[in-house]
Amino acid sequence: MVNQEIYDKVILKFNELYASKPEAVAYAPGRIEVLGNHTDYNEGYVFSAAIDKGTFFAASLAEDDKVEIFALDMNESWSGTLAEVSKIEEGATWANYPLGTFAWLFNGKPATAMKGFKAVLGGNVPLGAGLSSSASLEMATALALQKLYGTSYGRTELAKIGQKAEHTYAGCPCGLLDQASSMYGVEGGLVKSDFRTNEFESVTLGPLVAFMMVKSNAKHALVDGAYASRRQACEDAAKYFAGVLRKPVTHLRDVTMAEWVLYRGGLPETTAKRAVHPIGEDERVLQGAELLAKGDVKSFGALMYDSHESSRNWFENSCEELDAIVDAAKAIPEVYGARLSGGGFGGSCCLLVDPTAADKISTQIKKEYKAKFGDEPECSLIRPSAGASLL
Ligand code: GLA
């Protein structure tokens, strides 16, 4: 089993706290975003992968209406009654993810006549690194609690439940990418998502390439408004295009690059800059799918570099640290592509690399990053992994 040592610790702790075995244990991975940035809430396309790091959630029903959750990594617990399940503003804010997920399994408000639950969670997705530690926690919670309470949601519905928890408990108006990638990940492959139809296809990569995550030390926080303002700009632009194009437009997914070029003049400059990013990303994902089908990994990598440039110049969701990583990567022949991964404004870059040169690549990138910022980024090869499961 992947991350067995964490599983063992979670079970041990559960036993120690509640003197019993958990009735349900689930595991859900984090994710990397490979191509298609900020396209999910624009109903567009994304290539992503579930990673080999994730979160375990072990739980049993309580005798009464008490909810008790212990977070191994924080060495902290949250407890309260069912009636007290609501957004936490201060203190154990990590509990917003499992509590929000629990609440939305029951339409936002668990009935107070239900039984509560006791749980232990633990994982190894680095926090604030843009690897969706929160989605991995939500999806593990969702699967484990679904088993305990006997609900019967499908994978996409559970992903949406996690997304609602983000919106209402964590305050981030995210799309569905993180939760869907955690749910639909495949061993050794990519997930190609269509966020209009919510279809998730797996695409195999072959053994000659791998992904390397380079975690900058710039903390990414998506709840401070920058993510929300980008999303708002995209929605404003979609409304504008719906008015000027003679075809139905509900999201930027419906707008082509040629249309943006022709009609951008009617938009405020910043809104136009924001809009072109997801429009270009959609085109790159579709082109990337054709390239992967032909086995042309190097050209796929070139699209990743283009994606980063688009983030840097148009969407302005990059930062000095991420730019430095991508610039360093470009000078290394064994790196085929590199871009920021996820929301942006810090976090990690995702590199497409020749795995046999991993040491050389990480040494070089660390060296250049250190010369600029004084500290070293973390580099690790990522094995695209299977999605969330009940154990
Ligand atoms: C974050 C969000 C996702 C997605 C990405 C950007 O990870 O949670 O929904 O919008 O940013 O592609």
Side-chain angles (χ1 to χ4, degrees), residues 31 33 36-41 174-178 222 227 342-343:
R31 65 99 188 88
E33 180 197 282
N37 185 242
H38 285 260
T39 51
D40 57 352
Y41 56 79
C174 63
L176 197 60
L177 169 69
D178 308 340
L222 298 184
Y227 184 95

Side-chain angles (χ1 to χ4, degrees), residues 173-188:
C174 63
L176 197 60
L177 169 69
D178 308 340
Q179 293 78 10
S181 308
S182 180
M183 276 295 182
Y184 288 102
V186 279
E187 185 71 42

Side-chain angles (χ1 to χ4, degrees), residues 334-346:
E334 292 88 351
V335 181
Y336 308 128
R339 65 190 282 281
L340 69 82
S341 176
F345 316 105

Side-chain angles (χ1 to χ4, degrees), residues 112-274:
T112 42
M114 286 174 22
K115 280 186 174 167
F117 66 89
K118 45 197 176 184
V120 173
L121 62 93
N124 61 352
V125 187
L127 306 182
L131 297 174
S132 294
S133 54
S134 59
S136 94
L137 171 52
E138 288 149 15
M139 294 302 92
T141 305
L143 280 176
L145 295 186
Q146 160 131 303
K147 180 174 175 205
L148 283 188
Y149 289 95
T151 54
S152 50
Y153 295 107
R155 289 197 162 238
T156 304
E157 289 171 298
L158 290 177
K160 287 183 180 170
I161 283 170
Q163 184 192 24
K164 281 191 196 151
E166 291 277 351
H167 288 193
T168 55
Y169 275 65
C172 177
C174 63
L176 197 60
L177 169 69
D178 308 340
Q179 293 78 10
S181 308
S182 180
M183 276 295 182
Y184 288 102
V186 279
E187 185 71 42
L190 293 179
V191 182
K192 179 173 172 257
S193 305
D194 178 338
F195 285 106
R196 169 149 289 170
T197 58
N198 285 334
E199 282 166 326
F200 307 101
E201 208 185 298
S202 62
V203 177
T204 42
L205 260 182
L208 300 178
V209 285
F211 292 105
M212 183 183 277
M213 283 314 300
V214 183
K215 179 176 162 290
S216 77
N217 297 314
K219 264 264 182 291
H220 103 148
L222 298 184
V223 284
D224 66 358
Y227 184 95
S229 74
R230 298 302 186 284
R231 181 169 181 160
Q232 188 60 52
C234 291
E235 286 168 4
D236 293 346
K239 273 197 200 105
Y240 162 76
F241 283 108
V244 296
L245 297 178
R246 273 165 229 88
K247 67 175 192 184
V249 174
T250 60
H251 293 80
L252 287 178
R253 150 77 168 259
D254 302 309
V255 181
T256 65
M257 191 59 92
E259 288 162 345
W260 178 84
V261 171
L262 273 175
Y263 292 100
R264 62 172 290 194
L267 278 171
E269 199 190 327
T270 304
T271 314
K273 283 175 76 175
R274 302 299 181 251

Side-chain angles (χ1 to χ4, degrees), residues 308 311-312 315-323 340 344-346:
H308 189 81
S311 272
R312 189 189 322 225
F315 214 62
E316 294 176 289
N317 62 332
S318 185
C319 62
E320 268 189 290
E321 290 87 343
L322 297 175
D323 291 344
L340 69 82
F345 316 105

Side-chain angles (χ1 to χ4, degrees), residues 5-22 58 68-77 118-122:
E5 37 346 308
I6 299 170
Y7 170 84
D8 292 343
K9 279 190 201 155
V10 167
I11 301 300
L12 199 70
K13 191 73 197 178
F14 193 96
N15 221 319
E16 196 184 305
L17 288 176
Y18 312 120
S20 59
K21 280 191 183 153
E68 209 174 331
I69 313 172
F70 184 83
L72 209 54
D73 317 304
M74 312 281 173
N75 198 22
E76 207 175 89
S77 65
K118 45 197 176 184
V120 173
L121 62 93

